[in-house]
Amino acid sequence: MKKQKLVVVGGGSTYTPGMIMSLIEEKENFPLKSITFYDTDVERQEKVAKACEVILKEKYPELEAFHYTTDKEEAFSNVDFAFVQIRTGGLAMREQDEQISLKHGVVGQETCGPGGMAYGMRSIGDMIELVNDIRSYSPDAWILNYTNPAAIVAEALNRAFPEDKKILNICDMPAAIMVSYASILKREIWDLVPEYFGLNHFGWFTKLYDKEGNDLTDEIKSHILNHGFLPEDSEIVNDPSWIKTFKQVKTMVTDFPEYLPNTYLQYYLYPQEMVDKEDVCNTRGRQVINGREKRVHSLCDQLIENKTTDGAHLEVDIHGCYMIRVAASLAYNNGDTFIVIVKNNGIISNLQDDAMVEVPAQLTNHGPKPFAVGKIPTFYKGLIEGQLAYEKLVVAAFFENDYNKALQALTLNRTVVNAPVAREILDDMIEANRNYWPELNGNLKVKEPASV
Ligand SMILES: NC(=O)c1ccc[n+]([C@@H]2O[C@H](COP(=O)([O-])OP(=O)(O)OC[C@H]3O[C@@H](n4cnc5c(N)ncnc54)[C@H](O)[C@@H]3O)[C@@H](O)[C@H]2O)c1
Ligand SMILES: O=P(O)(O)OC[C@H]1O[C@H](O[C@H]2[C@H](O)[C@@H](O)[C@@H](O)O[C@@H]2CO)[C@H](O)[C@@H](O)[C@@H]1O
Ligand SMILES: [Mn+2]
C-alpha cells in the first residue's frame, strides 16, 4: 500500500488530538508517510502540535516526518490528502452567533438558523482561499472537508470550483448516530449499511441493513420508542448537551415515525422548545470553550510536560475514524459505502440537480459513486426545499454581496420565519461580523415617506 502524505488544515483544532489517535488506530487501513499541520494561529497550533509530537513518537515510530507550520507552501506542497477543519472567527464568534439569535427569541446554534448563516458567511472566503492555495501546490490532492456549516461550505465550493472532482465535504453526525445504532444492535458500526437522504444536518435514515442484507430498521425504531436513544461515541457519551439531543430523537420518531431523523432536525421541528431550554449566558459555544477546549488544552499541556503518553486520557473517536476511512476508500479504491455530501444530479429524483445532498455513496479512487434514492415523499421534499433555498440564498448573498438575499435566506429558515425578526437578526449579525463578512449592499428597506 502506498503511504500517504497528509496535511491537517486547522492543526490547532480541538479535534486534532482525537484525529491523531484515530490515524494511529487506523494505520493499517490508511498508512502515512508524513503528517503536516497547518494553521493561521501560531500559538494555538503549537500547543496541539507539540502534544501530538509526543503521541506520534511513541505510537507511530514508522512515520517518516511530522511538521507544523503557518507557511502555505511548506504545508501544501506535494501532499496526497488535506483534511480541513478550520473555524473562522473561533469559538468566541460561535458563542456570539448563538447569543444574538437567542436575544431575538430564535434558535442559537452553530450550524442551524442564523448562527449557521453567520458562520457560513465567515467560512466561505477562507475555504475558497484554502482550496486555491492547496491546488496551487498539490493539484491532485484529495481535499476532505469537515469545516462547518458543511452544507453551506459545500454549496459555496461547488459554486467556486465546479470542475474540481477531488473536493469532498463530509459530516460525522450520521456516523455518530450509527455508533448508537450499532450499540443497540450489539454490532460494529462498520457492519451496518445505511440508506439515507437529505442535506447536511438535515436528513433521515430510511433503512438500516447489515452486510448480509438483513433489515434492522424496525428493531432500531422500536428500541428508540421503547427505551429512548443515547449517544455512545467516546467524545459525546457523557456530554449532558449531547445526551439531551439524542433523547429528543424519541420525540421525533414518535411524531414522525416513517424515517429515523438526524439529531439536528430537532432545531427545525421544535424551535420554540430549543429556545426555551437555552441559557444565553451558557450557550453550546460557551460550554465547548469551558469544556472540550479546556480539556484538550490541558491534555496537551500534560503531554508536553511529561513527554510521554503514560497517564494521559487519549481516545479514538468516530470523528477521526470516519474521515480516515473515507480517505482510505478513496486512496485504495476500496469501494466502501459512506454517507457524504455530493451534487444531487438526479440521486433524489424529485429534487433539483444542483442541490448538494447528503447520501450514501461508494467511494473509489474515481471519487464518490452515489446510490440512487428516487422520489422522496412530500413532507421531506417540502422541508428540504425550504432549507435548500435558504442555503443557496446565503451563498448567493456572499458571492453577490446582496443584503436582500441574506434577508430572504433568514426569512425562509424554519427557525426564524418572521421577516422583521429576520431583518433585526441580520443587522445585528452584520455588525458583529464586520471583520469577517463581505459588505452587503442593497438594503431595500423603504423609508417612511416624509410627511407633507
Ligand atoms: N463536519 C462535521 O461533522 C464536523 C464535526 C466536528 C467539527 N467540525 C468542524 O471542524 C472545525 C473545527 O472545529 P473546532 O471546534 O476544533 O474549532 P477550533 O477553533 O478549535 O479549531 C479550528 C482551528 O482552525 C484554525 N483556523 C481558523 N481559520 C483558519 C484558516 N483560514 N486557515 C488555517 N487554519 C485556520 C484556528 O486557528 C483553529 O486552530 C469547525 O469548522 C467545526 O464546525 C465539523
Ligand atoms: O457542539 P459541539 O461542538 O460539541 O459539536 C458540534 C458538532 O457536532 C457534530 O459532531 C459531533 C460528532 O457527531 C460526534 O461523533 C463527536 O465526534 O462529537 C462531535 C462534536 O462534539 C456535528 O456533526 C458537527 O458538524 C458539529 O460541529
Ligand atoms: Mn456535522
Side-chain angles (χ1 to χ4, degrees), residues 148 171-173 200-201 264:
N148 268 321
C171 167
D172 58 18
M173 197 70 245
N200 176 239
H201 290 184
Y264 276 94

Side-chain angles (χ1 to χ4, degrees), residues 271-336:
Q272 194 56 54
E273 195 181 328
M274 295 300 125
V275 171
D276 291 346
K277 70 180 187 196
E278 282 292 337
D279 171 359
V280 76
C281 298
N282 191 28
T283 64
R284 182 63 192 160
R286 176 52 38 191
Q287 292 169 29
V288 172
I289 292 167
N290 291 332
R292 189 172 66 241
E293 187 177 43
K294 281 213 167 82
R295 175 168 49 80
V296 168
H297 286 175
S298 71
L299 169 74
C300 291
D301 290 339
Q302 181 193 345
L303 286 162
I304 295 165
E305 197 182 318
N306 297 349
K307 300 186 182 65
T308 171
T309 62
D310 289 353
H313 183 76
L314 291 166
E315 269 179 321
V316 169
D317 57 30
I318 192 62
H319 174 83
C321 287
Y322 194 67
M323 174 80 93
I324 295 159
R325 291 227 174 185
V326 163
S329 199
L330 295 168
Y332 304 114
N333 198 31
N334 296 345
D336 296 331

Side-chain angles (χ1 to χ4, degrees), residues 9-15 38-41 44-45 85-91 94 110-111 119 126 130 145-148 150 170-173 201 288 292-293 319:
V9 183
S13 158
T14 55
Y15 290 92
Y38 169 78
D39 203 294
T40 44
D41 184 329
R44 192 176 177 92
Q45 167 160 271
Q85 45 178 19
I86 65 161
R87 186 186 288 282
T88 305
L91 286 161
R94 171 180 180 175
E110 179 196 27
T111 64
Y119 189 15
D126 276 359
L130 276 169
N145 179 52
Y146 259 145
T147 303
N148 268 321
I170 63 172
C171 167
D172 58 18
M173 197 70 245
H201 290 184
V288 172
R292 189 172 66 241
E293 187 177 43
H319 174 83

Side-chain angles (χ1 to χ4, degrees), residues 169-180:
N169 297 281
I170 63 172
C171 167
D172 58 18
M173 197 70 245
I177 294 170
M178 285 174 66
V179 170
S180 291

Side-chain angles (χ1 to χ4, degrees), residues 106-144:
V106 167
V107 168
Q109 217 282 322
E110 179 196 27
T111 64
C112 305
M117 169 172 170
Y119 189 15
M121 299 276 281
R122 289 198 297 276
S123 299
I124 295 172
D126 276 359
M127 284 303 300
I128 290 176
E129 188 180 324
L130 276 169
V131 170
N132 276 320
D133 290 333
I134 295 168
R135 280 287 168 262
S136 69
Y137 298 113
S138 281
D140 209 31
W142 279 104
I143 300 175
L144 304 191

